[in-house]
């Protein structure tokens, strides 16, 4: 049996897996489809790379809706503090920002990629860039013995006849091909095809951490407006399924911003099941309905001779006033002391339950992460090895794991990459 470990994909998970397998003594070949390593890492955190979060690792699991528990074993072996220490040893100092987000002090993702390049070179990992793994080679459908790969196609070389498929033998293969989001970075869902080929179940990949499209036109009028300290809830077929407090923004197609991205996973899943999705924005979450009503009564008394349209300046951002006035169906030229109790209470409702019908997401092209992927039930969380095929390991976003923003997705990629790398090397050595 070959003593080689092949790592498919040179993103966060693959870089960690390749380096760790080599550090543990294996001969490692890393095959990356793109012409460079870490394309997605390079754009993560707006190019600053939010590598992990400073929170207590025992608290991390709840930030992965769905299968967070699958990560217990990986986090136990390689947690956020281990990652910080690992990068420090490679010369990358880190800092903590708002919400516990950890970034390299350089504020440049490239620093992290360079550190991994150094790590891989220290441990003599052979790197093949610009080549795509197309097939896992299996023996008796129970054991992996290598991969078939080919130079990645580009627009000018499609007709190149010398672009033959090659076979690379291996005793273990780690698939770290990422999800299907931001396909321009190389993660185009190839891992799902490899999974299906190996008999693995793939949970339908859906965009997550993604902006949402609204049926209504009025968000377009407010595009660019960011709201802080609002409460956004998401409703599926009339039932509330999630609620977040924080920041959001309006766009020409609908809504985006941190709280919307966090809730988008629920929308994405519900829309895939053709359910009705609605978002309700509470612009004044610090006040009860009655408190808000009292506040409006005070304002209307104070501005008793003003028109309604001129009475909301202290309550709302300027650009929102015409929209709210229109939606309230109260005449803009009504003098405030003529506004009826019923109209005022309707306005309160509107301010605390501004509704939007969600018609879709911006799709995989704009999704920060993919929800869905290789079914965790068929992967051993203690080793990341397939429960179906010996010597086949999985790491990173290709697995049915997705986290919220804040560094959780990269930590999951690094931790599962670590585990897969170490376990693959051990597996190879155990078969000697
Ligand atoms: C814009 C953006 C910003 C983000 N910011 C953050 C952040 O700040 N913090 C955070 O925690 N998460 C962030 N994420 C999410 C995070 O980047 C990913 O979850 C993480 O990079 C996944 O790592 P991975 O190694 O599993 O996959 P990827 O990084 O996608 O790597 C997979 C690699 O496999 C290669 N590949 C695919 N198929 C093949 C094949 N057939 N053969 C060979 N190679 C192949 C791809 O080219 C790619 O390089 C962000 C995502 C995006 C899109």
């Amino acid at each position: 049996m070959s003593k080689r470990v092949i790592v498919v994909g040179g993103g966060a998970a693959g870089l960690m897996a390749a380096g760790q397998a080599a550090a543990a003594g294996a001969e490692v070949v890393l095959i990356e489809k793109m012409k460079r390593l870490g394309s997605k890492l390079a754009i993560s955190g707006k190019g600053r790379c939010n590598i992990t979060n400073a929170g207590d690792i025992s608290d991390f699991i709840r930030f992965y809706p769905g299968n967070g528990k699958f990560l217990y074993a990986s986090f136990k072996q390689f947690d956020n503090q281990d990652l910080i220490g690992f990068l420090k040893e490679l010369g990358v100092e880190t800092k903590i920002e708002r919400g516990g987000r950890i970034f390299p002090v350089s504020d440049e993702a490239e620093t992290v990629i360079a550190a991994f390049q150094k790590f891989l070179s220290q441990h003599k990992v052979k790197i093949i860039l610009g080549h795509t793994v197309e097939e896992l080679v299996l023996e008796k459908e129970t054991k992996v013995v290598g991969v078939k790969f080919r130079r990645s196609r580009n627009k000018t070389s499609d007709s190149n006849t010398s672009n033959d498929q090659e076979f690379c033998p291996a005793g273990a293969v780690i698939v770290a091909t990422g999800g299907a989001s931001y396909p321009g970075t190389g993660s185009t869902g190839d891992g799902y095809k490899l999974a299906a080929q190996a008999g693995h179940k793939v949970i339908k990949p859906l965009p997550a951490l993604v902006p949402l499209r609204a049926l209504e036109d009025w968000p377009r009028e407010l595009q660019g407006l960011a709201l802080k300290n609002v409460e956004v809830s998401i409703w599926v077929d009339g039932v509330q399924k999630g609620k977040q407090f924080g920041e959001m923004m309006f766009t020409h197609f609908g809504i985006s911003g941190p709280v919307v991205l966090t809730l988008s996973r629920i929308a994405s899943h519900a829309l895939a099941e053709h359910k009705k999705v609605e978002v309700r924005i509470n612009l004044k979450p610090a006040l009860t309905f009655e408190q808000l009503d009292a506040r409006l009564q005070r304002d209307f008394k104070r501005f008793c001779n003003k028109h309604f349209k001129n009475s909301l300046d202290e309550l709302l951002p300027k650009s929102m006033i015409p929209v709210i006035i229109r939606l309230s169906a109260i005449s803009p030229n009504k003098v405030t002391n003529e506004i009826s109790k019923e109209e005022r209470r309707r306005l309160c409702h509107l301010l605390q339950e501004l509704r939007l019908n969600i018609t879709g997401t911006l799709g995989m092209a704009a999704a920060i992460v993919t929800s869905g992927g290789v079914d965790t039930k068929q992967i051993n969380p203690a080793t990341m090895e397939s429960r179906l095929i010996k010597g086949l390991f999985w790491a990173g976003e290709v697995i049915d794991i997705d986290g919220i923003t804040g560094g959780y997705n990269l930590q999951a990629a690094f931790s599962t990459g670590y585990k897969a790398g170490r376990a693959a090397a051990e597996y190879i050595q155990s078969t000697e």
Side-chain angles (χ1 to χ4, degrees):
M1 180 178 120
S2 168
K3 293 293 166 205
R4 182 180 297 136
V5 174
I6 293 177
V7 178
V8 187
L15 290 169
M16 181 61 91
Q20 293 302 336
E27 178 210 333
V28 180
V29 176
L30 169 63
I31 306 177
E32 164 56 49
K33 168 194 236 186
M34 305 294 277
K35 290 198 174 113
R36 59 159 295 170
L37 296 170
S39 299
K40 191 171 277 177
L41 257 181
I43 58 162
S44 67
K46 298 196 170 98
R48 297 201 301 129
C49 196
N50 174 198
I51 51 164
T52 186
N53 197 281
D56 188 338
I57 198 81
S58 61
D59 206 28
F60 264 43
I61 302 295
R62 69 190 172 97
F63 299 119
Y64 303 87
N67 296 315
K69 284 185 186 152
F70 177 81
L71 293 169
Y72 266 127
S74 296
F75 287 164
K76 199 158 180 230
Q77 188 164 6
F78 190 81
D79 65 15
N80 49 351
Q81 296 308 326
D82 294 324
L83 177 63
I84 293 163
F86 164 83
L87 287 172
K88 194 179 166 78
E89 264 182 39
L90 290 165
V92 181
E93 296 291 339
T94 52
K95 59 176 174 174
I96 307 177
E97 293 192 4
R98 184 178 52 88
R101 290 169 164 80
I102 295 188
F103 292 88
V105 165
S106 65
D107 279 331
E108 284 183 15
E110 295 295 345
T111 319
V112 178
I113 299 168
F116 272 103
Q117 273 164 333
K118 181 170 152 190
F119 180 49
L120 265 50
S121 128
Q122 275 169 0
H123 294 287
K124 305 195 171 32
V125 173
K126 182 177 172 195
I127 299 168
I128 302 176
L129 294 175
H131 282 71
T132 302
V133 171
E134 296 180 328
E135 214 181 305
L136 297 170
V137 181
L138 307 178
E139 193 180 273
K140 295 183 189 146
E141 301 202 343
T142 57
K143 186 170 130 186
V144 70
V145 292
V147 301
K148 286 188 184 165
F149 68 109
R150 190 195 299 269
R151 195 163 70 233
S152 300
R153 285 168 189 267
N154 60 42
K155 286 178 191 101
T156 51
S157 70
D158 273 359
S159 58
N160 188 340
T161 49
S162 67
N163 192 7
D164 289 337
Q165 199 181 47
E166 293 173 55
F167 170 61
C168 184
V173 174
I174 301 171
V175 181
T177 46
S181 47
Y182 262 74
T185 61
S187 50
T188 51
D190 292 8
Y192 309 140
K193 289 179 209 144
L194 299 176
Q197 192 214 328
H200 274 270
K201 182 175 169 195
V202 175
I203 308 297
K204 188 177 178 172
L206 294 171
L209 298 181
V210 63
L212 298 176
R213 290 184 192 281
L215 179 68
E216 292 77 1
D217 275 338
W218 58 260
R220 180 188 295 267
E221 290 172 51
L222 301 178
Q223 65 176 291
L225 174 68
L227 299 175
K228 284 190 177 149
N229 304 324
V230 291
E231 191 177 80
V232 181
S233 55
I234 190 153
W235 297 69
V236 176
D237 285 346
V239 179
Q240 186 180 309
K241 293 288 181 184
K243 188 161 72 176
Q244 289 284 318
F245 176 83
E247 197 173 332
M248 63 159 288
M249 68 184 282
F250 293 103
T251 66
H252 63 284
F253 53 79
I255 48 173
S256 188
V259 297
V260 173
L261 294 185
T262 301
L263 294 171
S264 66
R265 184 184 197 274
I266 298 170
S268 203
H269 280 256
L271 291 164
E273 292 167 19
H274 309 290
K275 293 184 174 159
K276 181 176 155 40
V277 180
E278 196 184 49
V279 153
R280 299 183 189 174
I281 305 163
N282 184 346
L283 297 169
K284 298 289 165 195
L287 303 178
T288 63
F289 182 87
E290 296 307 332
Q291 285 169 332
L292 179 59
D293 189 37
R295 155 92 197 261
L296 283 178
Q297 281 185 58
R298 276 200 309 276
D299 282 4
F300 288 170
K301 210 171 188 176
R302 197 147 57 98
F303 306 127
C304 59
N305 293 322
K306 281 194 176 184
H307 288 143
F308 176 46
K309 67 181 177 194
N310 297 324
S311 68
L312 300 173
D313 293 9
E314 289 177 17
L315 198 70
L316 293 168
K318 213 170 180 49
S319 57
M320 268 201 110
I321 295 173
V323 173
I324 293 293
I325 286 180
R326 211 168 57 237
L327 295 173
S328 75
I330 302 171
S331 164
N333 294 320
K334 201 166 204 176
V335 179
T336 52
N337 63 10
E338 283 173 9
I339 293 173
S340 69
K341 181 178 175 187
E342 193 217 315
E343 285 172 326
R344 197 185 64 234
R345 289 178 81 85
R346 204 166 65 221
L347 177 62
C348 282
H349 261 299
L350 183 66
L351 295 172
Q352 294 199 309
E353 249 188 37
L354 192 53
R355 296 184 184 204
L356 281 170
N357 287 292
I358 302 303
T359 54
T361 73
L362 234 51
M364 284 296 190
I368 287 178
V369 76
T370 308
S371 168
V374 181
D375 192 350
T376 52
K377 290 193 194 76
Q378 295 174 337
I379 303 172
N380 178 353
T383 56
M384 306 309 291
E385 190 177 10
S386 159
R387 292 193 195 273
L388 313 177
I389 307 286
K390 283 198 90 50
L392 179 61
F393 296 79
W394 301 93
E397 204 181 306
V398 69
I399 302 171
D400 180 20
I401 292 283
D402 57 288
I404 63 166
T405 55
Y408 300 103
N409 286 299
L410 281 175
Q411 181 67 52
F414 289 132
S415 294
T416 55
Y418 184 98
K419 202 138 209 46
R422 290 279 159 176
E426 220 171 273
Y427 168 79
I428 290 277
Q429 282 144 14
S430 72
T431 57
E432 271 169 357

